[in-house]
Amino acid sequence: MIAGGAGIMLTGLTRTEAQTTAPVAPRAFAGQHQIKPLPFDPARLKGISEKLIRSHHENNYSGAVRALNAVEQRLDAMMKDKDLPAYVYGDLKREELVRTGSVALHEIYFANLGGDGKAAGEALEAIKKSFGSYEQWEAEFKRTGNALSGGSGWVIFALNFHTGELHNYWSWDHMHNAPFSRPLLAMDMYEHAYHMDYGAAAAKYVDAFMQNVNWEEVNHRYTSAQKAATALRE
Ligand SMILES: [Fe+2]
């Protein structure tokens, strides 16, 4: 008999005791990222269906969180293998970057949806200064999105801390980012973001996206990014 009422004996400890005394992985390898719920009612978006948003959140975003957790824990285990070739480790480090980008950009994306699409506030004033007019900014943001249709990627309107400028950045995948920039508005251009509703007609999704932008959130990001930019210059 190896099993007892208090649990299986593991080198002198019951399983319960072994679990509570097991070493905790350092934070970088903990794999404890939590899935954030949708910050708006998915039934209320204009031109983007609840079914699509729920699928996007539950499969693509939540899947990325689970994968990132698994990758971190696997990295921890692989570091304990002193004979592991570095290039094998490198493959998983690439996955870490892919999943980290996917988690961050999806959380930014969902948080900048659920609004009325009407630009206002300090971000709007900054857009006018940097792009000449709101219409010019929007035309470039949308054109950049349409340039990614049929493929994958993100359009990221960002404050670049290095140059101090606002730009709409083209991003081919979760790992493409303008170095040292804070995303203020992110638009997912992976097919999973629109194909269920629009098929290959990505431009219709881009139009619908603009009608649901949460400018309150964009303004919050812009003002906090400006404070960070000022602090970085000091
Ligand atoms: Fe996505």
Side-chain angles (χ1 to χ4, degrees):
M1 287 290 288
I2 55 170
I8 298 169
M9 294 299 288
L10 296 171
T11 59
L13 296 174
T14 65
R15 174 171 287 171
T16 305
E17 288 165 334
Q19 282 169 342
T20 53
T21 55
V24 176
R27 183 164 182 185
F29 303 107
Q32 296 298 319
H33 300 274
Q34 301 296 312
I35 294 166
K36 291 187 179 173
L38 280 170
F40 54 83
D41 178 355
R44 300 190 61 180
L45 292 192
K46 296 178 281 288
I48 303 176
S49 70
E50 179 178 1
K51 188 179 176 191
L52 184 151
I53 286 288
R54 287 201 184 280
S55 171
H56 195 173
H57 183 271
E58 288 167 18
N59 294 299
N60 306 98
Y61 161 61
S62 301
V65 175
R66 287 189 287 269
L68 178 60
N69 287 339
V71 165
E72 285 184 4
Q73 291 169 3
R74 191 57 63 89
L75 285 169
D76 186 41
M78 288 169 100
M79 274 303 290
K80 293 180 173 72
D81 180 355
K82 301 302 176 199
D83 298 323
L84 186 84
Y87 58 83
V88 174
Y89 198 75
D91 281 347
L92 209 57
K93 289 301 283 183
R94 181 185 179 281
E95 278 301 316
E96 180 188 34
L97 193 61
V98 173
R99 307 301 178 170
T100 298
S102 180
V103 169
L105 287 166
H106 278 107
E107 289 178 358
I108 290 166
Y109 172 74
F110 289 124
N112 63 219
L113 281 173
D116 64 8
K118 294 184 172 65
E122 288 185 51
L124 175 59
E125 294 311 309
I127 281 171
K128 288 176 183 171
K129 280 185 194 151
S130 292
F131 291 83
S133 68
Y134 172 81
E135 289 72 23
Q136 287 226 93
W137 168 82
E138 187 188 68
E140 204 221 3
F141 187 88
K142 289 167 71 173
R143 183 170 284 189
T144 306
N146 291 332
L148 289 160
S149 68
S152 61
W154 297 85
V155 183
I156 305 173
F157 170 51
L159 174 62
N160 188 314
F161 288 137
H162 187 73
T163 64
E165 295 178 354
L166 292 169
H167 282 275
N168 293 318
Y169 289 113
W170 174 98
S171 171
W172 180 250
D173 60 24
H174 304 312
M175 295 186 289
H176 257 105
N177 288 287
F180 208 34
S181 64
R182 163 61 164 137
L184 306 176
L185 177 66
M187 178 167 66
D188 194 335
M189 287 307 301
Y190 281 77
E191 284 196 332
H192 64 238
Y194 59 85
H195 206 275
M196 192 185 292
D197 285 349
Y198 293 109
K204 290 182 182 171
Y205 156 73
V206 170
D207 287 340
F209 173 88
M210 300 309 298
Q211 291 179 48
N212 293 285
V213 171
N214 179 349
W215 283 95
E216 213 171 293
E217 175 65 17
V218 176
N219 271 302
H220 169 70
R221 291 174 188 171
Y222 175 70
T223 52
S224 63
Q226 283 288 27
K227 282 183 200 155
T230 302
L232 286 165
R233 282 194 294 270
E234 287 170 353

